[in-house]
Amino acid sequence: MTVLQLWEVLAVVLAIVYLVLAIRQNIWCWAAAAVSTLLYLYIMFEARLYMESVLQLFYLAMAGYGWHQWRRGGEGGAGLSVSTWPWRAHVVAVGSVLLLVVISGELLTRYSDAALPFLDSLTTWGAVVATFMVTRKILENWIYWFVIDAVSIILYLNRDLYFTAALFAGYLVMIVIGYRSWRASMQEEQP
């Protein structure tokens, strides 16, 4: 096993810890996310997945924002409850992602040696939106993640990131659990 693979295994373990804690709506998910993100920043750059590398910087910022929102967001600083977005917000989110994919995919194709620039861009911009949704405890984040993670498996297998591909396959199961858990939480909080 190479050093890069060892770092990848550690990043995978921390990513699993993040998701388990996020499903449980435990604020410590953001600490696990931050450390996993730092490891993946290096791993993705080495794999020439440049959009995924930039995404890791975004994840790092979102770990801090998520911690703050889950702790102090919501009414009166009492923390956030699970909520949903109206359909118009989803139309704007998906439309924005698709526009950004075309722009960044084309730029990466023309000006870099990026591997799979459009697929890399799709998973990256989709993850930006989905991560923001997690920080705000938007229920539909789990649906976005299911699509993103399914596509990510193809991306990672293509770059020989087998541990990460396996992680994302496991994520698909955990996403279903997360969706059900958050939906139940939201229903319990509604009068």
Side-chain angles (χ1 to χ4, degrees), residues 38-110:
L38 288 171
L39 293 170
Y40 268 121
L41 175 62
Y42 172 71
I43 293 163
M44 294 303 167
F45 188 80
E46 287 296 311
R48 292 185 5 244
L49 295 172
Y50 303 130
M51 290 299 292
E52 291 286 321
S53 298
V54 172
L55 178 62
Q56 301 311 308
L57 296 173
F58 173 78
Y59 283 159
L60 193 57
M62 287 293 98
Y65 178 73
W67 178 279
H68 178 267
Q69 286 300 305
W70 283 28
R71 186 170 184 143
R72 303 269 187 236
E75 290 186 36
L80 293 175
S81 297
V82 177
S83 62
T84 61
W85 271 358
W87 69 268
R88 287 181 185 94
H90 293 292
V91 169
V92 169
V94 171
S96 298
V97 166
L98 294 176
L99 177 64
L100 290 167
V101 166
V102 170
I103 293 168
S104 58
E106 190 60 37
L107 289 171
L108 286 169
T109 298
R110 288 184 187 187

Side-chain angles (χ1 to χ4, degrees), residues 103 179 189:
I103 293 168
Y179 179 83
E189 292 175 6

